[in-house]
Amino acid sequence: DAKTTQPNSMESNEEEPVHLPCNHSTISGTDYIHWYRQLPSQGPEYVIHGLTSNVNNRMASLAIAEDRKSSTLILHRATLRDAAVYYCIREYGNKLVFGAGTILRVKS
Amino acid sequence: EPEVTQTPSHQVTQMGQEVILRCVPISNHLYFYWYRQILGQKVEFLVSFYNNEISEKSEIFDDQFSVERPDGSNFTLKIRSTKLEDSAMYFCASRGQGTGELFFGEGSRLTVL
């Protein structure tokens, strides 16, 4: 049981920001939130992770709600290469359990 | 950039045969994982391995499956007697101590006929 809820699919225009939402209402205080993505025919790729504070890296930003029941992955300028399945994952124990993810389509 | 490598990239086998999938994790990593993905479905956790023993396994990881780290560099997944439903992409991943990121390999595609 992945214990996260994401929209099945989203669409974005190239060069525009994308906000990918995730609900994790049963999260416990020590569970990290991870985001991975999977491009077609490739293995999952790390995007970002965080616990309580908002996080930024070269790929994306992660905004975590104050109550930690939801988070949003932000791609600041979508490119065609960002078209992928994006997974929001709660880490518990020492494992990541993937859900179905959000299919992101990017239009040129 | 360091990477996780997996071999073979594709293996075709007959039902009932034994298969060994190999992975070379990133050299200083301590945690190792196998996941699988049946075509068109989600990525499923199989097993995690730390300190030379299984730390957690899923319901999928039954007695037909085993993992080993035989020589300090390779990490293998063995399927003793393959079934048709074992056909999937198998991903190895590794993780360093105290870091959040799992590094995944490109996967080994297993086709059971």
Side-chain angles (χ1 to χ4, degrees), chain B residues 5-107:
Chain B
T5 57
Q6 292 187 240
T7 53
S9 56
H10 187 192
Q11 181 157 355
V12 181
T13 190
Q14 295 292 323
M15 192 168 57
Q17 295 296 303
E18 176 182 284
V19 160
I20 297 176
L21 304 178
R22 292 181 169 79
C23 169
V24 180
I26 293 172
S27 63
N28 60 347
H29 282 187
L30 300 175
Y31 298 85
F32 312 107
Y33 305 82
W34 282 102
Y35 286 80
R36 80 171 186 190
Q37 187 173 32
I38 295 170
L39 188 63
Q41 299 187 23
K42 66 181 182 181
V43 178
E44 300 175 289
F45 170 79
L46 292 179
V47 66
S48 59
F49 191 88
Y50 171 73
N51 201 25
N52 284 320
E53 60 183 23
I54 291 173
S55 46
E56 196 160 355
K57 59 184 180 179
S58 72
E59 291 176 355
I60 303 168
F61 195 89
D62 61 21
D63 291 344
Q64 292 299 312
F65 291 88
S66 62
V67 289
E68 201 176 34
R69 189 157 158 79
D71 56 11
S73 61
N74 291 287
F75 179 51
T76 62
L77 174 69
K78 182 193 291 187
I79 309 174
R80 247 179 286 281
S81 177
T82 50
K83 303 189 279 284
L84 296 176
E85 53 265 38
D86 294 327
S87 294
M89 184 73 90
Y90 288 81
F91 294 107
C92 174
S94 71
R95 184 185 219 181
Q97 179 83 32
T99 64
E101 179 177 356
L102 258 66
F103 290 81
F104 283 82
E106 290 297 310

Side-chain angles (χ1 to χ4, degrees), chain A residues 88-100:
Chain A
C88 168
I89 303 166
R90 269 177 59 185
E91 177 177 5
Y92 49 98
N94 189 30
K95 67 183 184 190
L96 305 184
V97 176
F98 287 72

